[in-house]
Amino acid sequence: MPSSFCLRPPDARLLEGRRALVTGGDSGIGQGICYELAAHGASVAINYVGAPDEAQRMAQEIHAAGGKALAVQMDVSSEQDVARAFGEAQSAFGCVDLLVNNAGIEQRYPLVDMPLAAWQKVIDVNLTGVFLCAREAARLMRTARCGGAIINISSVHEQIAWERFSHYCASKGGMRMFTQSIAKELAPLGIRVINVAPGAIATPINRDVLADPAKSGKVQREIPLGRWGEVTDIAQAVAWLASEQASYVTGATLFVDGGMTLYPRFV
Ligand code: BGC
């Protein structure tokens, strides 16, 4: 998805000098977050897991416009990959003081048909990946004594039950308590930990629903603000939460969902 990336004017940049790593940064919400952080002056390590093409294209585009970015390969559920990728970001930028745990997957299965492998894959990527990356980032920030922020892209489904996605809900509910626990633990190191919980956002993960007007309209009726969210709705919230303007926010979840968590269906 080519964008028209440009840096914000110097006095409007919230993240000048920050060093970020965004997991799953080459598509969907992660891609928008990479562009937004870079536009605010952060150096951004754009993580991809498969083909490097899109992450490399984004890095070149950001570079060409005067920003700083780097493509880094990593499967977030692999301890070795995580250590290597954070090492690459550290070598390039000097440190990592902002981690955005965005990588996530979902796959529909009724409980009675769910293979163990499907359960494990979702937990590995959505929850174990968050643990591995948060641990690595916290270690780097502790050593550098630089403080920083860890922002986890959760979901409205850290709160709203979702039938046929019990593994996904378990991962996001787990993320909520993981965030709160490590927020307490890392506060003395000056490291803030926050969840951003998107609702229905127009991204490739929702390709099938968006392509079907009946299904897409049904989702839209569950959103009090009456529209699907855009990637920029999430990206702008992340940039603000990562910035000094949010320096008193930790352990919280910010729902960016058009009001979806207000359960309009039950009104
Ligand atoms: C899921 C989307 C879904 C949304 C609202 C998100 O966490 O990734 O597929 O549309 O929640 O249900």
Side-chain angles (χ1 to χ4, degrees):
M1 184 186 77
S3 77
S4 48
F5 174 78
C6 61
L7 274 166
R8 302 211 171 191
D11 60 356
R13 291 181 203 159
L14 292 173
L15 301 169
E16 194 69 65
R18 296 288 294 277
R19 286 100 16 126
L21 188 150
V22 181
T23 70
D26 62 342
S27 76
I29 290 174
Q31 182 170 57
I33 292 170
C34 288
Y35 282 130
E36 188 68 15
L37 300 184
H40 276 290
S43 303
V44 183
I46 305 167
N47 163 241
Y48 64 95
V49 65
D53 312 38
E54 184 62 2
Q56 285 173 354
R57 186 200 63 72
M58 289 168 63
Q60 281 161 10
E61 181 189 7
I62 290 169
H63 210 258
K68 294 178 219 76
L70 167 79
V72 290
Q73 196 281 338
M74 147 173 86
D75 170 352
V76 295
S77 66
S78 155
E79 195 170 23
Q80 291 77 12
D81 277 17
V82 170
R84 175 184 44 73
F86 275 79
E88 286 171 22
Q90 189 182 23
S91 304
F93 303 152
C95 191
V96 173
D97 56 22
L98 170 55
L99 164 65
V100 182
N101 275 315
N102 163 78
I105 54 172
E106 66 189 52
Q107 218 185 346
R108 183 188 176 96
Y109 277 110
L111 173 65
V112 291
D113 298 328
M114 189 182 296
L116 176 60
W119 169 273
Q120 276 172 336
K121 181 78 184 159
V122 166
I123 298 297
D124 281 354
V125 174
N126 295 11
L127 194 54
T128 307
V130 168
F131 153 68
L132 288 172
C133 291
R135 185 181 68 172
E136 200 65 25
R139 286 175 175 168
L140 293 182
M141 292 177 204
R142 181 186 58 178
T143 303
R145 296 175 189 276
C146 61
I150 297 173
I151 300 185
N152 300 318
I153 306 304
S154 164
S155 165
V156 288
H157 298 297
E158 72 165 54
Q159 179 171 314
I160 303 177
W162 196 14
E163 56 275 49
R164 292 178 292 278
F165 290 87
S166 57
H167 48 358
Y168 184 77
C169 290
S171 74
K172 298 299 183 180
M175 189 192 264
R176 179 179 180 132
M177 288 313 297
F178 178 68
T179 290
Q180 292 181 11
S181 301
I182 67 168
K184 287 182 85 174
E185 200 172 314
L186 298 177
L189 299 175
I191 302 170
R192 297 180 298 114
V193 191
I194 301 138
N195 276 10
V196 170
I201 309 298
T203 65
I205 213 170
N206 287 310
R207 196 183 291 115
D208 294 347
V209 176
L210 285 162
D212 180 334
K215 286 187 186 160
S216 157
K218 182 169 175 281
V219 172
Q220 194 161 316
R221 284 191 294 279
E222 292 174 355
I223 306 168
L225 287 182
R227 68 166 174 91
W228 280 69
E230 299 296 332
V231 164
T232 49
D233 292 319
I234 307 302
Q236 289 168 8
V238 170
W240 178 76
L241 283 167
S243 79
E244 278 306 299
Q245 290 186 356
S247 64
Y248 204 51
V249 182
T250 197
T253 292
L254 176 64
F255 288 93
V256 185
D257 65 351
M260 198 180 217
T261 31
L262 304 175
Y263 301 99
R265 266 187 292 184
F266 302 131
V267 172

